[in-house]
Amino acid sequence: MAELQLRSVEKTYGNGFKAVHGINLDVKEGEFMVLVGPSGCAKSTTLRMIAGLETISCGEVRIGDQIVNDLVPGKRGIAMVFQNYALYPHMKVHRNLSFGLRLRGASRQTIQSSTDTVSGILEIEELLDRLPKQLSGGQAQRVALGRALIKQPEVFLFDEPLSNLDAKLRASMRVRITDLHKRLRDEGRPATVVYVTHDQVEAMTMGDRICVMKDGHIMQVADPVTLYERPANAFVAGFIGMPEMNLVDAVLTRQDGVPSLTVEGQTIAIPDGLGKRIVGPDGPVRLGIRPQHLDLVAPDTPGAFTGTVANVEFMGHESNLYLRVGEADFVAVTPAEARFGQPARGDRIGLRPQGQKLHLFTAGDNGGNISLGTQHLQGGNDDNAYHSRTRAHDNSAGDDKLGRGTPHELVGR
Amino acid sequence: MSTLTEIPLTPAALSDAPTALQIKLRKRARFNAFVRYALLTIVGFIMIYPLLWLIGASFKTNGEMFSSAWFWPRNPTVQGYVDGWQTSTPYTFATFFLNSMQIAIPKVIGTAISSTLVAYGFARFDFPGKKILFAILIATLLLPDVVTRIPQYLLFRELGWLDTYLPLFVPQWFAWEAFFVFMLVQFLRAIPREMEEAARVDGANTLQTLIFIVVPMLMPALVSVCLFQFMWTMNDFLGPLIYISTVEKYPISLALKLSIDATEAFNWNQILAMTVLALTPSLVVFFLAQKSFIEGISTGGTKG
């Protein structure tokens, strides 16, 4: 197993379209890195460049201590699992598994023992004599996984491997893949993984770290908790979390050093702890607050936004409450137990943000987070052990061209 | 939620006797089916009748041949086959069969290999001038065969290939049949690239990917290519007529013509008997490869 480094990697197509804009990414040895982003964010292109299936226009890709830019895929020490399995339809499962080994000229004995081991791990022993068309989706995906595993590669690449499966199977395969990764780590054979998905649930549940991408730029690289609690910019804040984080235009003002926020003519004070963390001048900002961090209160309560209920969605264990405050829309998640006496459409109510959970971003769609504090400049202010453990990783994020890839850069500007 | 058994049955469903409307509908459906099948059977019979007549007439005597249009022989005889096989030349029909195979086999193999290579190139790789080259290739589809006959003849004459089989199959070793290349390109386009990419990640080079992954997936289309080429070669009359002058080297198509030329009073039963034999290889090959052939010509035929 080896670490993987991307240095200023760019992809420009023949028609001049630039898909990837000089990204930098470090994946540590044995790390499970998830590339996530909306359609067209170039996450798959990035993965294909690592695999060697797409040429690299500029920059370098390094696996271990070797630059692999000019190596064919077969020489890069990688294995890849494709979205639609890509099993060879005319070969039985055991031949699918051992195709790579046979090409390398491995002995019959090696092939046999490797096939046995891998099929044992993935519980596909009884499928070895079947053709791919005789397999169900989940079985085919396990075989595809086996084909990658049998090669014992330096880096595993997954290109949306669970997208073709139904929800239930997807959940079980998700657990299977993460279990496998942990098992290999426990056995002292840690597997470096780059996993592409557009599904944030997969990203959050599987990744040691997550790299959020947009339009060929890296938005943030961090562990799931940091990504959720300390998004580097408004895009990451809106992309991670269900329902989406509320992002509304606001005006930041400081009177006698006490900051307050005005949204649609309604002003709320910013609690002390958060107020000290805010960097940047007064003026227009974007306020971010997760739906889970809004409390239902009586209208005109100080520190709350008052508006009219536009809709209520009962979800079973909770309800989504849509509130219209002037031109701004808020969504709040309220517990299901509170559904009796819960407001109905047209009611006037108040929503009070849990003060410390507010995020402030500079104005604009990808505005940087200005509420993370200056301590972040020194490499993190977390007392959370988990954060501290992954802090070193967090610094590897980077998108030099935009200068908005890391909180570090954001605050520095 | 109510189950199916709980749904109350309508009075009509409860009684066993069909209603007048149901009886009428059933009768109409039966009548329609009868008309449909009758019509199809008649048209089908008319279409296949010449073939039936050919086979039937090959067992007739020469005198009976034109006395009736009915295909069934009154006094069946295999004399046509026995005499026809001997031919009016010093060679039996076996020689001509072998000659045909000497053309057909290298031609089919050459076509399959060269068309696959060219189609793979066009379907999977980007290279300068690809669009123009492909357009030229397709344009040759529209070129009448006869236009190139004379320049080709002159060329092969210069090469000293006259009265050999070379002019009949060597061009096919260079993907001469644009139709097949086009057919394979279309088929390849319908095959997802992931399998080839997986093979590359597994360490296969371009040629290995082609041989181990693409060709097996292309098999239905390749079978069609081979089948078409085989049948066309067996039926080709003009090519051998131009290039082959020695009777000993004649393929079947020329040999059949020979039996018409050789005698003044045609022995039609011999000619028809040999025609039936001449058809046999194509028919046998077709039925052997029928499944793949149908799959091959209905392009787009791979499962994702």
Side-chain angles (χ1 to χ4, degrees), chain B residues 148-170:
Chain B
T148 55
R149 288 284 183 196
I150 292 172
Q152 269 185 14
Y153 182 85
L154 296 175
L155 173 74
F156 293 133
R157 192 185 62 184
E158 290 305 307
L159 292 171
W161 286 3
L162 295 186
D163 204 24
T164 69
Y165 298 134
L166 293 175
L168 300 174
F169 67 76
V170 170

Side-chain angles (χ1 to χ4, degrees), chain A residues 1 8 32 66 90 97 142 217 242 389:
Chain A
M1 290 301 145
S8 308
F32 200 118
Q66 194 179 19
H90 53 286
L97 290 175
R142 268 187 284 160
H217 296 279
M242 281 291 279
R389 184 165 57 78

Side-chain angles (χ1 to χ4, degrees), chain A residues 180-382:
Chain A
L180 187 63
H181 184 251
K182 283 180 190 137
R183 184 171 154 186
L184 289 173
R185 186 153 38 190
D186 294 345
E187 286 173 5
R189 302 184 282 148
T192 310
V193 175
V194 182
Y195 186 105
V196 164
T197 180
H198 62 268
D199 181 354
Q200 57 159 304
V201 177
E202 267 175 41
M204 295 294 273
T205 52
M206 298 175 85
D208 288 333
R209 280 194 305 152
I210 299 168
C211 168
V212 183
M213 294 185 72
K214 186 197 176 196
D215 298 336
H217 296 279
I218 290 180
M219 294 280 115
Q220 187 175 9
V221 184
D223 63 276
V225 177
T226 307
L227 216 55
Y228 186 79
E229 292 184 346
R230 304 160 61 80
N233 54 47
F235 175 78
V236 176
F239 189 78
I240 302 290
M242 281 291 279
E244 275 184 32
M245 181 187 272
N246 295 295
L247 287 164
V248 295
D249 291 330
V251 178
L252 172 69
T253 44
R254 287 187 184 86
Q255 269 188 337
D256 305 328
V258 180
S260 62
L261 278 173
T262 308
V263 176
E264 295 292 325
Q266 299 184 26
T267 303
I268 59 162
I270 294 178
D272 218 19
L274 177 66
K276 282 181 185 157
R277 293 209 300 270
I278 296 173
V279 269
D282 290 1
V285 291
R286 268 167 89 73
L287 162 68
I289 178 81
R290 295 205 181 274
Q292 292 80 358
H293 299 151
L294 283 167
D295 295 331
L296 196 59
V297 292
D300 302 318
T301 307
F305 298 113
T306 301
T308 317
V309 176
N311 198 11
V312 182
E313 289 174 344
F314 177 62
M315 312 286 285
H317 60 298
E318 61 192 18
S319 294
N320 292 344
L321 196 76
Y322 292 82
L323 190 75
R324 195 146 182 81
V325 179
E327 290 296 304
D329 290 311
F330 284 90
V331 186
V333 172
T334 55
E337 303 87 63
R339 73 179 181 275
F340 301 106
Q342 219 175 34
R345 187 182 153 89
D347 286 356
R348 205 165 161 272
I349 58 150
L351 286 178
R352 185 172 56 200
Q354 295 167 12
Q356 302 296 338
K357 307 280 176 135
L358 278 175
H359 295 272
L360 291 184
F361 304 96
T362 51
D365 284 344
N366 301 329
N369 196 336
I370 54 172
S371 54
L372 293 174
T374 48
Q375 279 179 316
H376 206 85
L377 283 166
Q378 280 100 50
N381 59 350
D382 302 302

Side-chain angles (χ1 to χ4, degrees), chain A residues 48 51-53 73-74 78-80 82 84 86-91 96 99-100 103 133 147 151, chain B residues 192-205 208-209 211-214 216-217 303-304:
Chain A
R48 289 169 61 81
L53 297 171
I78 50 135
M80 188 159 169
F82 293 83
N84 57 3
L87 297 178
Y88 312 125
H90 53 286
M91 292 184 198
N96 259 289
F99 182 68
L103 281 180
K133 67 179 173 191
R147 192 171 60 180
K151 289 177 68 186
Chain B
R193 284 169 188 243
E194 274 90 344
M195 262 83 82
E196 291 153 61
E197 289 177 344
R200 283 171 64 199
V201 171
D202 269 344
N205 60 32
Q208 286 169 325
T209 308
I211 294 169
F212 296 128
I213 307 298
V214 178
M217 288 195 290
K303 284 183 194 170

Side-chain angles (χ1 to χ4, degrees), chain A residues 40-80:
Chain A
C41 73
K43 53 190 186 300
S44 282
T45 309
T46 306
L47 190 81
R48 289 169 61 81
M49 283 197 286
I50 299 169
L53 297 171
E54 204 82 64
T55 53
I56 299 162
S57 308
C58 195
E60 65 179 43
V61 174
R62 202 181 268 270
I63 295 174
D65 47 13
Q66 194 179 19
I67 296 173
V68 297
N69 283 33
D70 299 321
L71 290 183
V72 293
K75 303 269 183 210
R76 291 190 179 203
I78 50 135
M80 188 159 169

